[in-house]
Amino acid sequence: VLFEDAVSVAKTELGQEDNDNDSVDVSALVANFLCNDLYALIKKSAIEEAGDDEDKRATLLNSISVDRSTVASQRLGLLIAMIANGTLTTSMAKKILTIMYKDDLTSSPRDIATRNGWEVISDMDVLVQLCTDVVHDPKNTKQLEQYKQGGKNTWKIEKFFVGKVMAQSNGNAHPEKMKEALASVLEKVVSDQTSSTS
């Protein structure tokens, strides 16, 4: 029941109620979170509950089921929808699932994500500004000058800037979109330099 209900909630949230040909396999995401992440939390909880009592541990481990979950299907479905629509990365969602299971049994995944600052930044304007701020940060002047000179090591400097942007965004920048934004910022820096030397 937990699986079917969570799939239904996620599909409704994503507007996929009647379409089996959607780009995101919601059923697979729910199954993965149930079989791996939620199951692991339930198993760990059972082991902690048993303590040093080996008989109790064996009994609890043999009876582990997602039915013991403290995460309702509604909340699990909403969490899966947030992964599917790109609001959360899988690693962010796993952190939220742990909080939903252990610490916060009532808040929505969106509220937990917001409270912890765990939402993917995918707005290109925001990403371009973030990349611009990092590239032009006085602390990164040496790397920017090396990049402007060109050469075979520009890819290393690009990686340096990727790391700095990810750090600045607390890991929340959408990786592919951020790299696209960074490329445009660096391209502009080079073209500005070329125009000023002409």
Side-chain angles (χ1 to χ4, degrees):
V1 174
L2 181 62
F3 172 78
E4 291 89 0
D5 290 349
V7 168
S8 176
V9 167
K11 284 188 170 198
T12 299
E13 188 73 12
L14 294 166
Q16 295 182 357
E17 296 93 345
D18 300 323
N19 191 349
D20 289 333
N21 297 322
D22 293 298
S23 62
V24 177
D25 188 349
V26 172
S27 298
L29 277 172
V30 172
N32 187 34
F33 266 75
L34 280 176
C35 294
N36 295 317
D37 305 295
L38 189 56
Y39 183 81
L41 290 169
I42 295 166
K43 181 178 178 182
K44 184 177 179 185
S45 176
I47 290 170
E48 290 170 357
E49 182 183 326
D52 293 332
D53 185 337
E54 291 297 324
D55 292 334
K56 185 175 183 180
R57 179 179 291 183
T59 302
L60 284 172
L61 290 177
N62 286 331
S63 65
I64 288 180
S65 164
V66 291
D67 294 336
R68 291 177 50 116
S69 173
T70 57
V71 178
S73 58
Q74 174 73 23
R75 294 170 71 213
L76 181 61
L78 292 173
L79 181 66
I80 297 302
M82 291 177 75
I83 299 167
N85 70 17
T87 305
L88 296 176
T89 63
T90 303
S91 62
M92 289 174 184
K94 288 179 182 188
K95 291 176 188 176
I96 291 170
L97 182 66
T98 301
I99 291 170
M100 287 173 27
Y101 182 80
K102 291 181 175 182
D103 303 321
D104 187 337
L105 306 181
T106 57
S107 295
S108 75
R110 182 166 307 287
D111 291 343
I112 295 169
T114 301
R115 194 168 45 242
N116 289 284
W118 294 332
E119 291 196 21
V120 174
I121 302 168
S122 56
D123 180 301
M124 282 305 282
D125 293 335
V126 173
L127 290 171
V128 166
Q129 186 59 54
L130 187 62
C131 292
T132 300
D133 292 347
V134 168
V135 166
H136 293 290
D137 185 324
K139 294 180 211 162
N140 302 327
T141 302
K142 177 182 170 189
Q143 289 80 9
L144 180 57
E145 291 307 316
Q146 288 174 336
Y147 186 83
K148 287 178 183 178
Q149 292 172 9
K152 63 181 182 177
N153 291 324
T154 55
W155 65 273
K156 287 183 182 178
I157 299 166
E158 287 173 12
K159 283 185 150 202
F160 167 82
F161 283 126
V162 165
K164 291 293 184 182
V165 172
M166 288 305 278
Q168 184 71 25
S169 73
N170 296 317
N172 292 352
H174 186 285
E176 291 82 22
K177 290 183 178 181
M178 181 272 296
K179 287 177 184 173
E180 186 181 320
L182 179 61
S184 76
V185 168
L186 291 172
E187 186 179 306
K188 184 176 182 335
V189 165
V190 171
S191 71
D192 288 351
Q193 178 188 0
T194 307
S195 349
S196 68
T197 58
S198 300

